[in-house]
């Protein structure tokens, strides 16, 4: 097929986006080089203002990366040894890592098979188990996996009933929406990442926290610069170096300008895949009223063996595919001794880790390429049958 012969298919095509806005990026970088304010230059507060507006949050604090964004909230809320923070096991390691950094316990929760997101029933089970183990149920960290917001209508009331707060790990979900509410305006706070491959990415590491809570915001402002008081040589708490580079802020301002259009394009790509593939394989399900940022387009094969066969066939056709995530966190060497909702395995996480795989997904995927990828997959099905 022509697509394979003419052009390599990228899993995430950052070059296509760059080609579109390269002169603006060049000019933005040149402006920073001219004014020389590399640390906390004027682009940083300007970006924060634009991001807060976009997300419908009162405050946005930019920072060094998505992991530090999560850590800033946990540190500001004084999460410590003896506290349990409930987190899905089917996520990137950073979600649980920051909890363990502070000596607290990441308490692993199972997921729902349709959304890959935190299962509220498993969460309830985990909270009861944590109490029995003498832990203090402090906070819930739902993850908006692959770009789809978690089930907040169920999770927020569970948090309230148990006197806990909610930190949304929306490293993959920025740009999404939950029943009319933008990601970034849900729960006590939302953390996101600007890692280049995330829906809104910079050209390096970056992240941000969103909240409506002034007190929380003020403490995070201090934590971001070594726990500063009146200035950085007045240290009122133990903090970190968590700043976003001015250059990355300048780049993000240009990328944010085209982000709304990119979100529409991502939805179009997902719709196109869905139409072509729904009769052959389990496609991602997006409930009514939810908008996904489509960080990943993830399919569920019938078995581990079938996933291997399909991925092999795709590879032979020149189509890259990835498995997010091959191993849930509660089975990872570093995390296997932390507690789970069941006290043993988490069956849905384990099952899906063995069957899911993700197709190329980015706003600039052309119709012809989507067709080629889908047809390659369908051909593999027909061969196997
Ligand atoms: C990417 C990611 C993070 C961490 O973000 P970084 O910017 O890479 O530190 C945290 N949680 C999830 C779910 C992620 O996908």
């Amino acid at each position: 097929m022509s697509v394979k012969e003419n052009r390599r298919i990228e899993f995430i095509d950052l070059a296509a986006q760059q080609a579109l806005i390269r002169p603006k990026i060049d000019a933005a970088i040149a402006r920073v080089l001219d004014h020389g304010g590399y640390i906390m230059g004027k682009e940083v507060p300007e970006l924060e203002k634009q991001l807060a507006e976009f997300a419908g949050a009162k405050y946005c604090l930019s920072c060094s990366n998505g992991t530090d964004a999560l850590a800033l909230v946990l540190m500001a809320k004084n999460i410590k040894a003896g506290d349990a923070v409930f987190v899905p096991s089917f996520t990137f390691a950073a979600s649980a890592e920051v909890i363990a950094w502070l000596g607290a316990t990441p308490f692993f929760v199972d997921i729902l098979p349709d959304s890959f997101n935190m299962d509220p029933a498993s969460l309830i089970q985990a909270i009861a188990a944590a109490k029995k183990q003498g832990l203090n149920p402090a906070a819930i960290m739902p993850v908006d996996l692959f770009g789809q917001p978690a089930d907040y209508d169920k999770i927020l009331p569970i948090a309230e009933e148990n006197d806990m707060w909610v930190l949304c790990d929306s490293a993959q979900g920025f740009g999404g929406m939950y029943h009319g509410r933008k990601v970034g305006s849900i729960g006590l706070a939302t953390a996101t990442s600007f890692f280049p491959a995330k829906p809104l990415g910079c050209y390096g590491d970056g992240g941000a926290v969103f909240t409506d809570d002034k007190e929380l915001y003020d403490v995070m402002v201090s934590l971001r610069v070594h726990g500063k008081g009146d200035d950085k040589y007045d240290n009122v708490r133990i903090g970190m170096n968590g700043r976003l580079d001015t250059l990355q802020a300048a780049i993000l301002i240009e990328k944010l300008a085209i982000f709304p259009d990119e979100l529409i394009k991502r939805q179009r790509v997902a719709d196109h895949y869905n139409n072509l593939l729904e009769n052959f394989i389990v496609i991602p399900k997006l409930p009514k009223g939810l908008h996904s940022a489509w960080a990943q387009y993830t399919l569920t094969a019938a078995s581990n063996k079938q996933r291997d066969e399909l991925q092999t066939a795709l590879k032979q056709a020149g189509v890259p595919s990835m498995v997010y995530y091959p191993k849930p966190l509660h089975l990872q060497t570093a995390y296997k001794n932390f507690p789970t909702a069941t006290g043993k395995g988490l069956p849905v996480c384990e099952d899906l880790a063995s069957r899911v795989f993700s197709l190329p997904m980015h706003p600039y995927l052309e119709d012809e390429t989507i067709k080629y990828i889908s047809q390659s997959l369908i051909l593999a099905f027909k061969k196997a049958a």
Side-chain angles (χ1 to χ4, degrees), residues 65-68 70 91-92 94-95 143 145 169 171-172 193-195 198 205-206 325:
N65 56 65
T67 309
D68 287 348
L70 292 166
T91 178
F92 182 59
S95 315
V143 178
L145 203 72
D169 178 350
Q172 302 179 15
S193 163
F194 304 127
F195 183 82
K198 307 281 162 136
D205 278 310
Y325 294 93

